[in-house]
Amino acid sequence: NDTSMALRACLVLLCVCACAAAVDRLRGVDTAKAHLYTTVHHTWKCLSDDIHIRPNQINDDVCDCPDGTDEPGTSACTGGQFFCVNSGHQSSILPASRVDDSVCDCCDGSDELNISCPNTCEELGRKAREELERTRELRRQGYQRRQELMQEGTTKRASRNERQATLNGELETKKATEAAQKAVVDQAEGPEREAKEKFDKDWEEQSANKRAAHVDEVFARLDADKDGLVSTDDVMHLVEADSDADGTITLEEAETVLDIDGDGALNETEAKVARADFQALYDNLPENIKGTSDLQKPDYPEDVKSLIAVADKAREEHRQASDAVGSIERELAAIAKDLAVDDGPHHEWGSLLGQCIESNEREYKYRMCFFDKVTQEPLHGGRSTSLGSWKEWSGKPYKYSEMLFDNGERCWNGPSRSIRVFVTCGAENKIDNVEEPNRCEYTMHLATPAACEPPGHDEL
């Protein structure tokens, strides 16, 4: 009858509404995608495939859609995803395989229907917000310090430029002074050289004459019988020839004195030495027989000493002028090297030039000197090893996010060491987390205010 037909129509309408309501609150569906699960004409279409199923086939633990979108709240579909709402904390997505596996993965416990999972979202959210605020505060502090570094770096660069200009002016003056002093040296060394050469030449002639006279004197002393020859008979009269000091000079002792070539026998020339052949014997005689010729070179006379003093004074003044030029040139080279360093878009890295920071990790102390080098040293003694010298900024796409130090000490039977330093924001300069992912290739993390962006520019 009409009444029963009306009741049946109402029941169908209630079922449709109930199904629609159920679909709106489907388990495991991303809230942003809930509208995709609205049924049309009592059917629902798979999200990636042109397949229509009944509403009650959604989350029925049977995978009907090839893309698995009909089972967002079960583990029926391989490759499916489960959305954790996690109110009070961050939402998350799980692989479908972890749904109803008796392990609580979502902090709100929505992934498990068969066991009771505590809802820890509020506590986790509170801790996450505290950590986020702590991180933001560190970033704020870091950025404040970065602004100071920018000012310091800009001031230092301006100071270096100013010092460079001043030194360039001083260098010209110092070079002129050095050139003038060199002329004074050249002028003073001429007379000095001539006077010394004359004195030395005269002395050489005198000493040659004295040496010849001394040779004649020794020959005459050895030629006891004055026959113009020195023989064993002559030598046996020399007290100095008594080598064993027994009071008697033997023929063997006498022959030893005359044995010029040391072969143990006297040849004709050695047995009777004439004055013309005596020089060789003289050179071979022991000092106690030959005596001394008293040929010590005397000091230069006062007039020559005066010329030497003038030249010495000129040389010292030139040395000082040359040292002054060298000192300025070395300082200019150091300034040029510092100015050539890429110290950041706002010179925030400039004030860190020359600074070093250290960190102890495991068995080593690591030391990084900005724009210079990185070293590794055993904590319990041992020499330092170079991990690399400053090469360049190497970050991509933002180059100031990474430093490269290369050409370090060569590994045994391997390449030269190198290290990449990953740069992040920090309230203070700190290095840590040193690793060696590949042989002789190291990585390090650097936290520094110089890398901190303005608050809100790059929030976590």
Side-chain angles (χ1 to χ4, degrees), residues 96-232:
S97 60
R98 293 167 64 178
V99 176
D100 292 327
D101 61 351
S102 298
V103 177
C104 300
D105 296 298
C106 302
C107 67
D108 61 5
S110 58
D111 60 308
E112 298 297 324
L113 291 180
N114 301 322
I115 64 172
S116 176
C117 293
N119 189 327
T120 60
C121 292
E122 287 295 334
E123 179 63 16
L124 292 175
R126 181 185 64 78
K127 290 181 178 179
R129 287 187 291 274
E130 289 176 353
E131 178 61 22
L132 179 59
E133 182 54 36
R134 186 189 70 81
T135 301
R136 286 173 172 166
E137 180 57 29
L138 287 177
R139 292 170 69 86
R140 281 191 288 268
Q141 294 176 11
Y143 181 68
Q144 182 177 358
R145 175 57 184 147
R146 183 191 185 214
Q147 289 180 301
E148 296 172 359
L149 292 176
M150 289 162 58
Q151 182 61 47
E152 292 171 10
T154 301
T155 300
K156 286 191 174 183
R157 178 167 284 269
S159 176
R160 291 186 185 104
N161 282 321
E162 183 179 349
R163 179 62 176 164
Q164 186 182 55
T166 300
L167 288 175
N168 280 326
E170 291 181 4
L171 183 60
E172 295 305 313
T173 301
K174 295 296 183 183
K175 282 185 173 180
T177 301
E178 181 192 21
Q181 288 301 132
K182 183 64 171 64
V184 173
V185 169
D186 293 341
Q187 186 176 9
E189 284 184 339
E192 175 201 37
R193 181 170 52 255
E194 292 176 4
K196 289 172 69 176
E197 287 176 353
K198 182 179 183 306
F199 179 86
D200 293 343
K201 181 179 180 182
D202 292 344
W203 165 247
E204 284 299 325
E205 292 176 356
Q206 294 173 24
S207 61
N209 293 333
K210 285 184 178 182
R211 282 192 297 271
H214 186 258
V215 172
D216 289 339
E217 178 187 332
V218 174
F219 181 84
R221 182 159 54 86
L222 294 184
D223 184 14
D225 57 9
K226 306 304 178 185
D227 64 350
L229 298 169
V230 176
S231 65
T232 53

Side-chain angles (χ1 to χ4, degrees), residues 298-316:
D299 288 341
Y300 288 114
E302 290 304 318
D303 60 332
V304 178
K305 286 183 178 179
S306 177
L307 293 173
I308 293 174
V310 170
D312 283 345
K313 182 175 182 294
R315 281 188 288 265
E316 174 59 22

